[in-house]
Amino acid sequence: SRAMQLQLFRSLWGCEAFCPPRQWEVLLPALRLLGYHGIEASLGDIGEDPAGLRAVLDTLGLALIVGVYTSWQDYEGAPDDGGPLL
């Protein structure tokens, strides 16, 4: 039997305060050194190069949780279509 393990994931929300967005080679090793097992990111956080992110995650042995929003990207600003929020 396997014992339960607590794994720590860092949301990318707020990381732009200390690292420019999508500089994975800078941010992810630092998070790994802090003891995180992975990151939580929205599709907007991941950007146009998901393979590049995946490569750095794999190299560092980090996991990824993807947050997918159903109304509009990252719930920032007004809804894209001006329709109801739900």
Side-chain angles (χ1 to χ4, degrees):
S1 75
R2 293 176 47 188
M4 271 198 233
Q5 294 181 333
L6 177 65
Q7 293 191 341
L8 302 174
F9 284 71
R10 173 60 163 96
S11 171
L12 292 186
W13 183 82
C15 285
E16 64 276 357
F18 55 88
C19 182
R22 297 182 199 90
Q23 289 195 2
W24 310 124
E25 296 82 4
V26 175
L27 177 63
L28 298 180
L31 294 178
R32 184 71 189 147
L33 286 173
L34 290 171
Y36 288 100
H37 296 95
I39 59 169
E40 181 275 330
S42 70
L43 293 175
D45 293 328
I46 292 170
E48 299 293 322
D49 186 20
L53 170 59
R54 181 81 262 167
V56 178
L57 288 168
D58 288 347
T59 298
L60 296 169
L62 293 171
L64 172 65
I65 297 171
V66 177
V68 178
Y69 303 98
T70 59
S71 289
W72 66 96
Q73 182 172 319
D74 294 338
Y75 288 97
E76 294 178 358
D80 294 335
D81 64 0
L85 297 181
L86 299 175

